[in-house]
C-alpha cells in the first residue's frame, strides 16, 4: 500500500493502524470519493491536524465530529476555517466563550492553526466529507482510526486536557484512562445547545490553569 504522508511522530505511533485491513479499505473508498465527487478538505489536508500538531507536542485535544461541508471552509482542523471565511456558528460561540472567559478580543481570523502550533490537536472523528452532505463519510472507517489516535495518545502521554463538547465527543471519554489526564465536558458550541452549558463553561481558563499546574506553557487562545 502506498505510504501514508503524516507527521513522523504520529506515523510511528499509528503505523499499526495503517497496516490494518479497515484502513486499506477506507483509503481506497476515500480515493474513489475524491475522484468522483467534491470532497472536503482538499486531499493534501486530510491529515492536517496531525501535521500541524506533532505527537510530541500535544497538550490539549478538542474533538469535533465532521469537517465543514461548504466550499472553502474545511482545512483539516476541527472547528477551524480558512482565513477570510465567515465564522460558522459553532466557531462564533467558541470565540465568544474565549472572550468572556479570558477577556480577550474576538480574533479577525477563524484559522486555528495558531492553536495547533501550540499543541492543541483539533481532531474531527471523521476526516473527510462530501460537499453539502454532513455525515456522508461517517461509518466508513475514519472513526476507528481517530479513536485509535485518541487512545494511543491517552495511553502514551500524561496530563493532556481533553475538551469533549456535546454527547458525541463525550462518548470518547471511554478511550481515555482515568486519573491520568484532565477531561472537561460540556454542551456543544452549536447554536442548538451552546446555551445549555457551553457558554460559561470556562474550559479555556481551566485548561490553562491545569497546564500551568503541570509545569507546561498555557495556550494563547
Amino acid at each position: 500500500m502506498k505510504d501514508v504522508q503524516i507527521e513522523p511522530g504520529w506515523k510511528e505511533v499509528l503505523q499499526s493502524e495503517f497496516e490494518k485491513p479497515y484502513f486499506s479499505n477506507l483509503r481506497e473508498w476515500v480515493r474513489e470519493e475524491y475522484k468522483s465527487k467534491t470532497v472536503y478538505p482538499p486531499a493534501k489536508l486530510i491529515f492536517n491536524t496531525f501535521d500541524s500538531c506533532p505527537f510530541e507536542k500535544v497538550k490539549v485535544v478538542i474533538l469535533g465530529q465532521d469537517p465543514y461541508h461548504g466550499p472553502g471552509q474545511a482545512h483539516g482542523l476541527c472547528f477551524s476555517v480558512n482565513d477570510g471565511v465567515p465564522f460558522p456558528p459553532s466557531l462564533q460561540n467558541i470565540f465568544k466563550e474565549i472572550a468572556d472567559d479570558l477577556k480577550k478580543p474576538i480574533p479577525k481570523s477563524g484559522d486555528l492553526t495558531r492553536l495547533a502550533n501550540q499543541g492543541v490537536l483539533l481532531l474531527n472523528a471523521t476526516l473527510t466529507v462530501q460537499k453539502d452532505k454532513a455525515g456522508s463519510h461517517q461509518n466508513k472507517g475514519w472513526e476507528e482510526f481517530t479513536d485509535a489516535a485518541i487512545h494511543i495518545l491517552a495511553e502514551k502521554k500524561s496530563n493532556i486536557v481533553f475538551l469533549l463538547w456535546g454527547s458525541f465527543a463525550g462518548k470518547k471519554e471511554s478511550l481515555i484512562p482515568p486519573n491520568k489526564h484532565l477531561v472537561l465536558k460540556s454542551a456543544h458550541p452549536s447554536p442548538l445547545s451552546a446555551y445549555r452549558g457551553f457558554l460559561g463553561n470556562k474550559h479555556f481558563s481551566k485548561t490553562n490553569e491545569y497546564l500551568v499546574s503541570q509545569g507546561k506553557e498555557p495556550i494563547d487562545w
Side-chain angles (χ1 to χ4, degrees):
M1 188 173 70
K2 186 167 167 278
D3 210 21
V4 176
Q5 300 299 311
I6 195 170
E7 188 272 327
W10 281 108
K11 184 165 194 172
E12 186 179 333
V13 298
L14 291 170
Q15 190 59 47
S16 61
E17 294 303 308
F18 297 141
E19 292 165 3
K20 289 179 181 174
Y22 88 85
F23 193 85
S24 250
N25 296 337
L26 168 67
R27 195 165 173 167
E28 287 308 311
W29 185 83
V30 168
R31 188 176 284 142
E32 286 306 311
E33 286 284 290
Y34 272 91
K35 275 186 193 168
S36 60
K37 299 174 179 130
T38 302
V39 177
Y40 301 127
K44 68 179 187 295
L45 295 177
I46 290 174
F47 295 115
N48 190 23
T49 188
F50 300 103
D51 295 333
S52 302
C53 186
F55 182 78
E56 286 307 316
K57 292 190 174 177
V58 179
K59 297 192 285 192
V60 181
V61 178
I62 297 178
L63 289 175
Q65 193 161 353
D66 236 16
Y68 295 124
H69 51 82
Q73 291 181 307
H75 64 128
L77 308 176
C78 74
F79 295 111
S80 178
V81 288
N82 284 303
D83 205 9
V85 175
F87 303 163
S90 290
L91 184 58
Q92 289 178 32
N93 284 329
I94 290 168
F95 285 156
K96 186 169 191 279
E97 178 56 25
I98 290 172
D100 290 348
D101 185 10
L102 300 173
K103 309 298 179 260
K104 287 173 70 84
I106 297 221
K108 299 278 192 289
S109 169
D111 184 346
L112 303 182
T113 303
R114 60 190 181 77
L115 300 183
N117 292 341
Q118 296 177 72
V120 181
L121 184 72
L122 297 155
L123 181 64
N124 277 315
T126 303
L127 296 187
T128 54
V129 71
Q130 192 181 330
K131 179 185 178 183
D132 297 335
K133 291 192 176 177
S136 50
H137 285 193
Q138 288 174 7
N139 305 314
K140 301 294 183 185
W142 277 132
E143 294 90 343
E144 187 171 347
F145 174 71
T146 54
D147 279 1
I150 295 164
H151 184 62
I152 289 165
L153 186 65
E155 286 284 350
K156 287 185 174 286
K157 294 174 78 86
S158 301
N159 310 124
I160 289 175
V161 184
F162 288 86
L163 301 180
L164 308 182
W165 300 332
S167 58
F168 177 86
K171 290 176 187 150
K172 305 295 182 182
E173 188 173 11
S174 63
L175 302 167
I176 303 162
N179 310 318
K180 198 179 172 193
H181 304 282
L182 177 64
V183 176
L184 297 175
K185 296 166 77 173
S186 80
H188 194 275
S190 146
L192 300 173
S193 57
Y195 289 92
R196 296 204 298 269
F198 176 80
L199 295 172
N201 67 15
K202 303 213 175 302
H203 278 189
F204 304 100
S205 59
K206 288 175 182 174
T207 294
N208 280 352
E209 284 162 16
Y210 179 79
L211 292 175
V212 170
S213 79
Q214 300 301 322
K216 299 182 183 183
E217 280 286 313
I219 305 296
D220 178 7
W221 296 101

